Amino acid sequence: MMKKLLYPIIVLAMLAIAGCTTNNGDIGFLSGYWRLDAIEVDGVDDTTYNGNITWAFQNNIIEISVLLDYHQRENYFGTWTRQGDILTLDYTHRSDALAPGTGELGLPPAMHLKTPIEIAFKIGDNPGRTMTLTAVTPESQTLTYRLSKIY
C-alpha cells in the first residue's frame, strides 16, 4: 500500500521541480514574454513598425524575436541587467561563428539600434502589465519602446 502511495507523490514532486520558470531567483515583473507595441524615435511614432516583435526575459538572458510570415521567427539573444529603474541591454556578445552584434547576437533593424551595443533604458510607466522604456542612442536619438506583457 505504501508503494502505491509513494509513486504518485514522487511523480508530482518531479513535475513541480521541472515546472520552475526562473533560474537563479526571482527576476520580478520582467519575467516572461512582452510584446513591443510601439516605437517612438525622437518623440515621433514609427508608423513603419509592424508590431511583430516580442521580448522574453529569463535569468539574465533576453530573447528578442521577430514574427515573420507563416509563423517563422528570427531570434536575437543578449543579456540584461536591472538596477532600480535602469534596464541595460547588452548586445556585444560574440561566439566562435559570429562577430559581436551579428546574426542571432544582433538586434532587429526595426528597433533602430546599431549593434554591437550596450544601452541603458529608463523604465518609465510600469503598472505591471505594461512598460515604457526610454534611452538615448549613441547617435543621439531618443528611443521610446512601449511594451505589454503577454504572459
Side-chain angles (χ1 to χ4, degrees):
M1 181 62 140
M2 187 63 149
K3 284 185 181 181
K4 287 183 181 183
L5 185 57
L6 189 57
Y7 181 73
I9 292 172
I10 291 172
V11 170
L12 288 174
M14 289 173 64
L15 288 173
I17 291 169
C20 294
T21 58
T22 60
N23 296 324
N24 297 334
D26 183 11
I27 62 172
F29 74 92
L30 289 173
S31 180
Y33 287 84
W34 295 79
R35 180 180 52 246
L36 180 57
D37 294 321
I39 300 172
E40 289 179 15
V41 180
D42 291 330
V44 177
D45 190 36
D46 178 2
T47 57
T48 64
Y49 172 58
N50 295 325
N52 61 339
I53 294 177
T54 59
W55 296 20
F57 294 90
Q58 186 174 15
N59 195 355
N60 70 330
I61 304 296
I62 181 169
E63 174 191 54
I64 295 179
S65 299
V66 180
L67 181 62
L68 304 171
D69 293 337
Y70 308 108
H71 299 284
Q72 294 177 324
R73 293 181 353 166
E74 287 179 352
N75 299 314
Y76 302 89
F77 299 93
T79 56
W80 65 274
T81 57
R82 179 176 160 232
Q83 292 186 342
D85 64 350
I86 303 298
L87 174 67
T88 302
L89 302 183
D90 184 352
Y91 276 83
T92 63
H93 303 287
R94 69 178 330 114
S95 73
D96 290 342
L98 296 171
T102 62
E104 65 183 14
L105 301 178
L107 283 166
M111 289 182 57
H112 301 277
L113 291 170
K114 293 181 181 154
T115 55
I117 190 168
E118 186 172 341
I119 187 164
F121 287 89
K122 179 163 180 35
I123 301 171
D125 294 338
N126 177 19
R129 306 277 317 157
T130 62
M131 173 172 55
T132 301
L133 302 174
T134 304
V136 177
T137 69
E139 295 79 24
S140 298
Q141 288 183 313
T142 300
L143 282 180
T144 302
Y145 297 148
R146 299 189 192 289
L147 297 101
S148 59
K149 189 130 187 196
I150 299 170
Y151 60 91

